[in-house]
């Protein structure tokens, strides 16, 4: 048969197999079995195997072995180490094929001769690398018991099979990453418990079910650990995390009748959702049980810590007929309990609503601060891949409250959101950023591009581009001096307003970045259809690299996705040399985190970072 006919025949076999419904729906192991069996049969070769390459590229482990057309179940994993076979691993890293006609004497494969090739009678080898995206991830290996000169159709066929396995690997890795991202959306990464999102969904379901079936009441218990901030400040956040983790375990182990859900709802707060008796008094024993569980001493770092918890309880339907009302009622009751002192519990009632006046007072003060431009902005530098040159900075809002001192965003953003002030707050931040750019220019210290965060409420406002343009014009700042960061959650909707708003911002000269990437839902179609130029990897994935294989795999997947879409990449939360070195080795474009700088005030940014910057190619002035 001619080479051209062989070439066509081989590829028709592969296409027929890989496009069949049965193959597509099979597990990865069965796909490897089908491919290696077909390869062995089509090329009449005695042994075909697939090997997995470790992340460090220093070890190959046999995943699948086909001998004489039959799958062989491995009792013990076969492994090859780079230090024992350096020339083979070197060739594998740079060659598209390793075609060793005389394998025992070929320089690339001779190290296998004494212990493997000669005892097995193997004369010729043909190996093709397998990839996961752009990263080498393994090899398919053909071994013949006679000298064999591999023909061009055979070489092409083996490369095509290796590419098919590469596609399987990439697809499998993407599905696994998507599963993990979905898990992180609904579960707390520290404790593994359902998060606030899951709790809200469950409350909504129970309300709907109760309305349909006229079922009895249920209760929501909101728990906040007392003094955890003191522990974090005195012993460090790692000890605080251990306290939170053990608290979650203790609450999970409680034997509670009628428990619907235990969730960690953020920081040092947990929630219990459970059935309640008609008068609600049956929960008193549960409250004591929860408090006793928390009050048992914690033994951490050879220290005994004693904690208490403040509890707020509300009940459906007495204290709310929808999820948001019930959540607010339970939280308000908890804050009322906390005001009474540590270790207190409080049921929600109408008088508790009065305690919400502190929140309303905070809202009133916030309105005044926004109206009078009393909010301030701190800046966290973003560095190039070397970690030495600042290339931009992220603007982060702060509030110097006259009575409560400097407040971080977590203290007031939800108040602003609940009061419908997010657009006004965003405008205030943008004004301060443009004012700082103007001051820096007057000092002849032009700032690099500044990243400004946009809330979901802002990007869904059709007038946003006009408001941005007006602020920039007022301060004589070009929109090119700004980059806007939008969270994944903010772009979940597929509205025309969202698309138009983002497109107009880019048309005006600003760039767009997706912030906290990996914690929400961003389909490939959405990323391709919206005008983003940068992805920021959420700090939760950076925190445990390079020791956590799951976080490494997710981060590599995001890096591959960004490169594939032509987007630049920023890693948030870089805190250690290990973080930096791992990200540099995997070609992350930009680095941001405490390793380089905490957020600093404008004057500190100018004094510490601007003097070493090269002059910008253009002055962002209009």
């Amino acid at each position: 048969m001619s080479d051209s006919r062989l070439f066509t025949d081989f590829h028709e076999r592969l296409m027929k197999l890989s496009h069949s419904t049965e193959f597509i729906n099979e597990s990865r192991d069965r796909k490897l079995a089908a491919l290696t069996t077909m390869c062995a049969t089509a090329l009449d070769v005695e042994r075909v195997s697939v090997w997995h390459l470790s992340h460090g590229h220093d070890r190959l482990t046999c995943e699948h072995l086909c001998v004489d057309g039959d799958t062989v179940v491995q009792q013990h994993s076969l492994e090859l180490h780079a230090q024992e076979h350096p020339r083979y691993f070197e060739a594998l890293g740079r060659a598209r094929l390793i075609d060793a006609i005389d394998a025992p004497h070929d320089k690339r494969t001779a190290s296998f001769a004494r212990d493997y090739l000669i005892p097995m009678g193997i004369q010729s080898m043909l190996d093709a690398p397998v990839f996961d995206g752009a990263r080498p991830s393994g090899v398919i290996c053909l071994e013949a018991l006679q000298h064999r000169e591999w023909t061009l159709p055979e070489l092409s066929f083996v490369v095509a099979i290796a590419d098919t396995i590469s596609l399987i690997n990439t697809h499998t890795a993407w599905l696994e990453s998507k599963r993990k991202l979905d898990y992180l959306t609904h579960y707390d990464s520290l404790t593994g418990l359902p998060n606030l999102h899951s709790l809200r969904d469950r409350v909504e379901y129970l309300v709907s079910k109760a309305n349909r079936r006229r079922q009895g009441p249920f209760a929501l218990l909101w728990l906040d650990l007392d003094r955890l901030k003191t522990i974090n400040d005195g012993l460090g956040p790692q000890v605080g995390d251990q306290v939170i983790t053990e608290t979650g375990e203790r609450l999970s182990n409680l034997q509670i009748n009628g428990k619907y859900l235990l969730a960690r709802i953020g920081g040092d707060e947990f929630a219990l959702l459970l059935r309640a008796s008609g008068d609600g008094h049956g929960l008193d024993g549960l409250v004591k049980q929860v408090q006793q569980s928390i009050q048992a001493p914690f033994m951490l770092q050879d220290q005994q810590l004693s904690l208490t918890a403040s509890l707020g309880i509300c009940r459906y339907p007495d204290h709310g007929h929808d999820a948001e009302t019930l959540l607010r009622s339970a939280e308000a009751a908890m804050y009322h309990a906390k005001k009474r002192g540590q270790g207190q519990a409080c049921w929600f009632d109408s008088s508790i609503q009065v305690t919400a006046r502190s929140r309303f007072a905070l809202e009133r003060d916030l309105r005044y601060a926004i109206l009078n431009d009393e909010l301030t902005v701190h800046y966290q530098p973003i560095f190039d891949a070397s970690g030495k040159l600042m290339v931009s900075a992220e603007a982060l809002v702060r509030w110097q409250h006259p009575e409560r001192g400097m407040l971080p965003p977590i203290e007031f953003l939800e108040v602003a959101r609940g009061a419908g002030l997010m657009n006004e707050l965003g405008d205030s931040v943008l004004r301060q950023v443009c004012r700082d750019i103007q001051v820096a220019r007057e000092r002849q210290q032009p700032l690099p591009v500044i990243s400004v965060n946009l809330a979901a409420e802002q990007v869904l406002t059709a007038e946003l581009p006009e408001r941005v343009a007006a602020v920039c014009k007022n301060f004589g700042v070009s929109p090119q001096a700004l980059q806007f960061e939008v969270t994944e959650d903010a772009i979940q909707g597929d509205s025309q307003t969202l698309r138009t708003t983002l497109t107009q911002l880019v048309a005006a000269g600003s760039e767009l970045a997706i912030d906290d990437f990996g914690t929400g839902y961003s389909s490939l179609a959405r990323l391709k259809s919206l005008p983003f130029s940068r992805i920021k990897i959420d700090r939760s994935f950076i925190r445990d690299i390079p020791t956590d294989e799951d976080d490494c795999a997710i981060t590599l997947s995001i890096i591959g996705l960004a490169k594939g879409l032509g987007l630049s990449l920023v890693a948030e939360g870089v805190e250690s040399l290990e973080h930096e070195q791992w990200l540099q080795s995997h070609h992350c474009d930009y680095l941001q985190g405490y390793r380089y700088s905490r957020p600093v005030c404008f004057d500190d940014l100018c004094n510490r970072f601007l003097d070493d910057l090269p002059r910008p190619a253009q002055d962002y002035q209009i």
Side-chain angles (χ1 to χ4, degrees):
M1 188 181 296
S2 67
D3 280 357
S4 61
R5 181 63 249 173
L6 276 174
F7 182 93
T8 303
D9 180 63
F10 287 154
H11 285 272
E12 282 181 348
R13 290 195 194 188
L14 180 57
M15 291 287 288
K16 184 177 179 181
L17 173 66
S18 61
H19 286 71
S20 67
T21 303
E22 294 82 2
F23 181 86
I24 291 172
N25 293 329
E26 286 287 9
S27 66
R28 182 175 181 278
D29 287 342
R30 289 186 176 273
K31 287 177 180 176
L32 294 183
L35 288 169
T36 53
T37 299
M38 182 190 66
C39 183
T41 304
L43 300 188
D44 191 25
V45 66
E46 289 82 3
R47 296 168 65 88
V48 180
S49 54
V50 177
W51 299 69
H52 171 72
L53 181 65
S54 66
H55 281 287
H57 295 182
D58 60 352
R59 184 177 73 257
L60 281 167
T61 304
C62 186
E63 290 190 277
H64 188 86
L65 174 62
C66 176
V67 178
D68 295 328
D70 295 323
T71 296
V72 175
V73 178
Q74 295 295 316
Q75 298 299 323
H76 301 284
S77 294
L78 298 175
E79 287 191 345
L80 303 174
H81 296 272
Q83 60 184 8
E84 298 172 2
H85 309 285
R87 291 198 171 184
Y88 175 80
F89 275 79
E90 181 183 353
L92 188 64
R94 68 170 188 266
R96 193 66 182 93
L97 280 169
I98 299 177
D99 53 337
I101 298 171
D102 184 7
H105 299 97
D106 190 295
K107 292 181 179 179
R108 298 166 296 180
T109 56
S111 59
F112 302 129
R114 186 184 65 182
D115 297 327
Y116 180 64
L117 298 178
I118 294 175
M120 297 295 294
I122 296 169
Q123 300 296 322
S124 297
M125 293 174 62
L126 176 59
D127 292 7
V130 171
F131 295 86
D132 180 0
R135 182 182 66 85
S137 65
V139 62
I140 180 171
C141 177
L142 281 65
E143 299 166 340
L145 301 185
Q146 65 281 334
H147 283 284
R148 181 163 179 169
E149 293 191 12
W150 306 99
T151 66
L152 184 59
E154 291 171 341
L155 296 176
S156 174
F157 184 48
V158 172
V159 170
I161 291 177
D163 287 343
T164 301
I165 297 173
S166 298
L167 289 172
I168 293 170
N169 287 345
T170 300
H171 180 66
T172 301
W174 176 251
L175 289 178
E176 180 64 13
S177 295
K178 188 175 183 300
R179 182 191 67 79
K180 290 175 180 175
L181 293 178
D182 183 66
Y183 174 86
L184 291 172
T185 302
H186 292 85
Y187 291 88
D188 172 54
S189 60
L190 181 62
T191 63
L193 294 172
N195 60 15
L196 180 58
H197 183 85
S198 295
L199 174 66
R200 185 179 287 109
D201 285 348
R202 186 63 174 171
V203 174
E204 288 174 351
Y205 168 76
L206 290 177
V207 169
S208 174
K209 184 178 178 181
N211 290 335
R212 291 195 314 269
R213 301 183 183 179
R214 306 288 183 186
Q215 290 192 343
F218 61 87
L220 178 61
L221 187 152
W222 193 293
L223 179 152
D224 180 274
L225 295 176
D226 301 320
R227 294 195 318 111
L228 188 65
K229 184 179 185 302
T230 303
I231 292 174
N232 282 331
D233 293 342
L235 300 178
Q238 290 183 337
V239 175
D241 285 349
Q242 289 178 275
V243 170
I244 291 170
T245 300
E246 185 168 336
T247 299
E249 292 175 357
R250 292 183 182 187
L251 295 174
S252 297
N253 292 331
L254 291 178
Q255 300 300 313
I256 301 173
N257 293 327
K259 180 173 72 174
Y260 287 122
L261 186 73
L262 167 66
R264 182 191 176 203
I265 48 181
D268 54 0
E269 296 177 307
F270 295 82
L272 270 170
L273 186 61
L274 60 162
R275 285 194 295 271
S277 61
D279 58 8
H281 292 302
L283 293 173
D284 292 342
L286 168 64
V287 168
K288 291 181 180 179
Q289 192 178 357
V290 169
Q291 289 176 322
Q292 289 172 356
S293 173
I294 302 300
Q295 290 168 5
F298 290 79
M299 290 300 301
L300 300 170
Q301 293 188 354
D302 298 326
Q303 296 192 52
Q304 180 172 300
L305 304 177
S306 297
L307 288 179
T308 56
S310 299
L311 277 65
I313 313 112
C314 73
R315 187 175 53 151
Y316 172 86
D318 299 343
H319 305 135
H321 293 84
D322 59 77
E324 288 304 322
T325 302
L326 289 165
L327 289 168
R328 285 199 302 268
S329 297
E331 184 181 20
M334 181 275 292
Y335 279 118
H336 192 72
K338 191 174 282 288
K339 287 189 175 182
R340 292 179 175 178
Q342 296 180 5
Q344 300 296 310
C346 182
W347 274 88
F348 181 85
D349 59 38
S350 57
S351 65
I352 295 256
Q353 292 175 336
V354 178
T355 65
R357 64 177 171 224
S358 61
R359 181 183 177 94
F360 295 145
L362 191 65
E363 178 185 320
R364 180 197 62 218
D365 293 344
L366 182 59
R367 286 182 185 274
Y368 182 87
I370 292 173
L371 180 64
N372 292 279
D373 273 343
E374 292 182 354
L375 298 180
T376 60
V377 172
H378 283 196
Y379 297 89
Q380 185 169 37
I382 300 172
F383 289 78
D384 67 357
S386 71
K388 297 179 180 178
L389 178 66
M390 184 179 77
V391 294
S392 60
E394 180 182 359
L396 300 165
V397 64
R398 298 290 188 268
W399 180 16
Q400 183 68 43
H401 190 277
E403 297 174 3
R404 305 188 185 191
M406 181 65 77
L407 298 180
I410 195 173
E411 298 284 345
F412 59 89
L413 283 185
E414 284 306 311
V415 174
R417 178 164 285 114
L421 293 172
M422 292 304 291
N423 280 296
E424 291 79 3
L425 188 148
D427 288 351
S428 179
V429 170
L430 183 60
R431 285 194 297 271
Q432 184 59 55
V433 168
C434 287
R435 187 178 292 113
D436 287 342
I437 293 174
Q438 185 184 56
V439 170
R441 188 169 60 228
E442 292 171 354
R443 295 176 178 175
Q444 296 186 342
Q445 286 185 306
L447 292 171
V449 172
I450 301 298
S451 292
V452 179
N453 292 283
L454 295 178
E457 293 85 348
Q458 292 177 272
V459 297
L460 293 175
T461 302
E463 299 78 24
L464 177 65
E466 295 178 6
R467 296 165 75 159
V468 170
V471 173
C472 288
K473 182 178 180 180
N474 187 46
F475 289 92
V477 172
S478 168
Q480 291 177 291
L482 303 172
Q483 180 181 80
F484 293 102
E485 298 186 12
V486 183
T487 64
E488 282 189 280
D489 290 338
I491 61 170
Q492 281 187 35
D494 196 19
S495 71
Q496 186 59 44
T497 299
L498 171 68
R499 292 175 180 274
T500 302
T501 298
L502 297 181
T503 300
Q504 289 178 353
L505 289 174
V506 172
S510 301
E511 292 187 339
L512 291 178
I514 298 182
D515 195 17
D516 298 339
F517 187 82
T519 60
Y521 292 98
S522 288
S523 69
L524 290 176
R526 301 302 320 285
L527 294 181
K528 290 174 63 178
S529 65
L530 295 173
F532 291 99
S533 58
R534 178 172 292 186
I535 286 178
K536 300 189 74 175
I537 307 175
D538 185 70
R539 68 187 68 250
S540 63
F541 302 120
I542 304 301
R543 180 178 57 201
D544 294 325
I545 63 171
T547 56
D548 188 299
E549 288 192 0
D550 288 343
D551 285 345
C552 288
I554 291 175
T555 303
L556 284 172
S557 178
I558 295 174
I559 291 173
L561 174 64
K563 301 299 183 185
L565 294 175
L567 306 176
S568 63
L569 199 71
V570 181
E572 295 179 299
V574 181
E575 296 187 2
S576 66
L577 176 62
E578 291 75 18
H579 291 165
E580 180 185 81
Q581 291 176 338
W582 191 92
L583 291 163
Q584 288 172 339
S585 69
H586 291 91
H587 310 295
C588 184
D589 300 306
Y590 304 108
L591 308 172
Q592 178 181 2
Y594 285 1
R595 172 162 174 76
Y596 313 107
S597 175
R598 292 175 177 270
V600 296
C601 68
F602 171 67
D603 286 337
D604 283 350
L605 182 78
C606 294
N607 295 333
R608 291 174 53 190
F609 299 102
L610 294 191
D611 288 341
D612 296 331
L613 284 182
R615 288 295 174 182
Q618 67 181 110
D619 186 7
Y620 297 118
Q621 183 175 0
I622 57 174

